[in-house]
Amino acid sequence: MAYHTTLATARSRAVVAESRHLLLTVAPGALWIIVFLVLPSLYLMSVAFMTNGPYGLPEMPLSLTSFQQLAGQGFLGWSPGNLMTLGRSLWQTVLSTVLVVLVAYPIAYYISQSDQRWRPIMLLAVVVPSWTNQVIRTFGWMNLLAPGTPLAELAEAMGMIAPNMGLYPSNFAVTLGLVYNFLPFMVLPLYAAFEKLNLSLVEAAQDLYASPLKTFWHAVFPQTLPGLLAGVVLVAIPAFGMYVIPELLGGGKGMMLGNLVANQFAGSANWPLGAAGAILMLIATFIGLYAMRRIGKRLGGGEEVVI
Amino acid sequence: MSAVDGKDAGTPEQHMTRKPAGARAPGGTHASESVSEHVGESFDDNAGENLGDTVNESVGESHGTNADQPALPRRAASSIQLKGLHKRFGNEVAALDGVDLSIQPGEFFTLLGPSGCGKTTLLRILAGLEALDEGQVVIGGRDVTEVPPHQRSVNTVFQSYALFPHLSVRDNLAFGLKMRGVAPREREARVAEMAEFIKLGSLIDRRVDQLSGGQRQRIALARALVCEPDVLLLDEPLSALDAGLRSQIQIELLRLQKRLGMTFVFVTHDQQEAMVMSDRIAVLDSGSLQQVGSPREIYERPANAFVARFMGHANLFDVTARDDSRSDAIRLTTPLGVLTAQAPGTGSLLLLRPETLDLRRRPASEFERHDVLENHLPGRVQERLYRGSHAEYRVEVAGVSVQVVVNNRGGQLPEVGDQVDVVVAAQDLITLRG
């Protein structure tokens, strides 16, 4: 009896010591996150429920006006502008993510099947552009898509755009910019998945009468699913909140939620509306993550990727 | 294994679940009934290692009783003809260098050899997973040399099992049937039947990563068998199992093959496994066939020194001279002395299997009478490894070391240092090519 008690005490003491030790290691990081992420986020959220003051700063009393404004209710009655921006953000996110997947999948496969010596160089070629400033790269696209450039003239010749219009500003240019910008974030996790592809599963599928297409779908695709889901998370979430690319390539009709929020804190000076937009973004992101998790579970893989 | 079979054959529900399967079989309910009869026998829980020495007998028996009443297979077994197979990977030495082979319908045929001998390449060529540089593959009378794997009626049990980790046991078993376009109802019936047949019915809804090694091994086997292929290919399917389970599954697999009458092509590097299981064995080395024959032929009449050494312990000595002058016997001069043989063949290497030799203790007084008795080689025991059922000796004869295995019949076993005669039976003497 006494022995057991001593053992229990010793054990609980050890647990206490261990947790204290753990706390000390985690504390700096936790403190950083609390001070610079959690507290500002809480402040931002509370701002959304305040009233917009005459100088654009949040004031008391609490109200839901900002959410009404976000839904389109303004001085001049209801307008669909904000909701269209939300819809456009969602559409641009889905479209560009799908396109990124379609472009990245063959690239990642090709690199994984290439000669061992060339793989690092090929991966580097994919990653290096993302080392340059995003704004500069986007300006580069402006030069490529401007009126009179070969791409614009080609589109003109094919009758896709009006003469002398150029390919930007447009929603097309935004999609293009997003796909270009996020490609590395999809290629890398997919490459990792392809690299550790279990070929014997592929052979087993072939052996069990699966045609090449079915072999891909049943034996290759499920194995790359964790990488694919990781890539989707890495691409879709930042794409949804993207500011620079729609700002530079999108023009007035290419605006996304990120621009709407940014404008409320800068030009239009309506902090509560901006905060409400940010909350909307958060909610949409969580819904998206939840949907991904469901899909991942359903397809049987990648649960560890999507929290 | 015993942990997984929750049900025993013969409950009414099980007969019901098997009914659709029987309706599909050409033989009607007879086929399905014979399946259910054999479920109990097929994966016998009591089939442990201790059955090792009686297995040949019991296999012969089950073969006899089931020959007129086949269980699962509903089609005739297929033969295989391989002609002039050549395969080279990159600039390396040839993986297969002119292999010709003919495998009979219903045969348990083993490809045996050390790692890198080309046996797995040969199996993969049969499966269609590896392309040939030269040669022809004919399975069941059909030239399949250019046929892709998914169009060959051949299934493989992979060394790593290669079960689909994202699918349940049921979906793994159903995979091949689904890909072949078998209707869902028939598919389910056949999967259920197969799951019962291998006694894993209770695990059918598990995910494969929740199974033990032995269970996975069976699922891999069942996944291939449920497709009822012309030929079943097995790529070292037992190598990942521990020794006890391994010998148990060896026996089960052997009985299964005899019952199904299906052509099995089995790859292994383990000569014991090959001898226990096979009807015939092909020994491969460096991409070419060394010998094809029954286990006894391969072991007792090896074609060359490589086969002799690979199949078991072998004492090999150069024959320096041979004297054919006597009509009833041939006298061979070897480093051990002169030996009398009956029909040794014309090779230049003498093979003495350790267990064909015997040891006689020789009183010290007689030791000077050198070579009085024919094929009695005087020597001295250098080493003895006592193994209970037998003892392994190393005996020095004329300055040369000879391995001898003596069965422990309860009599005296010579000790280290004893003067002995190594007794060679004239009819056991054979010579090999170098």
Side-chain angles (χ1 to χ4, degrees), chain B residues 42 57 73 76 121 128 178 209 216 307 351 369 374 381 387 390 399 413:
Chain B
S42 68
E57 214 179 302
T121 305
K178 199 171 163 188
D209 50 15
R216 282 178 204 215
V307 177
L351 168 67
R369 283 172 31 211
E374 212 172 53
V381 175
R387 300 224 184 250
H390 63 277
L413 289 167

Side-chain angles (χ1 to χ4, degrees), chain A residues 117-147:
Chain A
R117 284 172 302 174
W118 298 111
R119 281 188 227 164
I121 294 163
M122 292 167 124
L123 287 173
L124 207 65
V126 171
V127 174
V128 159
S130 66
W131 293 354
T132 2
N133 188 297
Q134 197 185 40
V135 180
I136 294 170
R137 278 180 290 140
T138 312
F139 271 113
W141 275 111
M142 288 166 77
N143 285 319
L144 286 173
L145 301 174

Side-chain angles (χ1 to χ4, degrees), chain A residues 200-201 203-212 214 218 222 300, chain B residues 124 129 150 152 155-156 158 160 162-164 166 176 179-180 223:
Chain A
S200 70
L201 292 183
E203 291 185 342
Q206 291 178 314
D207 188 68
L208 291 161
Y209 315 107
S211 62
K214 283 179 171 170
H218 291 288
Chain B
R124 289 170 57 81
L129 297 170
H150 68 279
R152 294 191 188 193
N155 287 112
T156 309
F158 291 88
S160 61
L163 298 174
F164 301 114
H166 55 286
M179 292 300 121
R180 270 192 156 179
R223 185 179 68 173

Side-chain angles (χ1 to χ4, degrees), chain A residues 238-279:
Chain A
F240 185 61
M242 178 52 81
Y243 169 75
V244 173
I245 290 170
E247 186 74 15
L248 295 182
L249 295 175
K253 287 179 181 172
M255 197 176 167
M256 285 170 65
L257 205 52
N259 309 86
L260 180 79
V261 170
N263 287 348
Q264 304 319 312
F265 288 98
S268 313
N270 186 346
W271 281 32
L273 178 56
I279 288 175

Side-chain angles (χ1 to χ4, degrees), chain B residues 105-127:
Chain B
E107 201 170 20
F108 198 121
F109 194 90
T110 297
L111 302 169
L112 175 68
S115 60
C117 72
K119 57 189 189 298
T120 296
T121 305
L122 187 49
L123 198 80
R124 289 170 57 81
I125 284 170
L126 283 172

Side-chain angles (χ1 to χ4, degrees), chain B residues 81-104:
Chain B
Q81 281 85 37
L82 305 174
K83 287 167 199 154
L85 303 189
H86 282 271
K87 175 72 186 176
R88 187 182 289 272
F89 294 106
N91 296 321
E92 291 168 37
V93 284
L96 288 179
D97 195 8
V99 171
D100 294 281
L101 206 55
S102 181
I103 299 172
Q104 303 304 314

Side-chain angles (χ1 to χ4, degrees), chain A residues 95-105 178-179 182-183 186 235:
Chain A
L95 179 66
S96 57
T97 306
V98 168
L99 290 175
V100 166
V101 170
L102 292 179
V103 176
Y105 212 88
L178 289 173
V179 170
F182 287 110
L183 194 63
M186 186 63 83
V235 170

